[in-house]
Amino acid sequence: NESEFWPSWNELMALACDEESDSRVIMHDPRDEYSWDLKLGHIDEELQTPGRKKWSVIVNDVDRFDPNLSEWMESKFSMIPQWRRDDAQVSLSQKGGGIGAHVD
């Protein structure tokens, strides 16, 4: 079962709150296309506050904190040299959340 290698919602939210993590929150009011807001750094309890804003949490380097995910990545992507691989980036969104228009 592949899902056993992925962190749970609660584990990922705890990691996003950790000061050692590389995380960010993107929030917006779906009724206002210009309401997008980005907060870099670990998250806090502001996401628990009910309101109109919808959110997405993005956490980088999840594999650095989760040995199971790191092992899974190695087993699935070992054909790619280690120096070419990036980190495991995981995002969570509440219903209606998103990241908006962007370019990577």
Side-chain angles (χ1 to χ4, degrees):
N1 183 0
E2 298 271 324
S3 65
E4 69 189 60
F5 297 103
W6 292 91
S8 69
W9 176 281
N10 289 336
E11 291 169 332
L12 195 64
M13 290 300 281
L15 181 56
C17 292
D18 188 321
E19 290 186 18
E20 297 295 315
S21 74
D22 180 13
S23 59
R24 58 201 174 279
V25 178
I26 301 168
M27 302 174 82
H28 75 103
D29 181 338
R31 297 173 295 174
D32 179 359
E33 66 181 286
Y34 300 105
S35 67
W36 294 94
D37 187 30
L38 171 67
K39 180 183 180 219
L40 300 173
H42 70 281
I43 65 169
D44 52 32
E45 56 281 339
E46 74 180 270
L47 298 182
Q48 307 303 323
T49 306
R52 289 186 287 188
K53 289 204 169 193
K54 302 299 181 185
W55 53 262
S56 294
V57 173
I58 302 169
V59 184
N60 287 48
D61 292 326
V62 177
D63 53 310
R64 186 169 57 111
F65 295 93
D66 188 328
N68 287 332
L69 183 56
S70 181
E71 290 173 18
W72 179 85
M73 287 179 61
E74 180 63 33
S75 73
K76 297 297 180 186
F77 301 104
S78 61
M79 77 295 267
I80 302 170
Q82 181 71 37
W83 61 270
R84 291 286 304 185
R85 284 185 247 163
D86 207 352
D87 64 311
Q89 181 185 75
V90 181
S91 63
L92 296 174
S93 295
Q94 70 176 154
K95 188 173 183 175
I99 58 171
H102 68 285
V103 175
D104 284 345

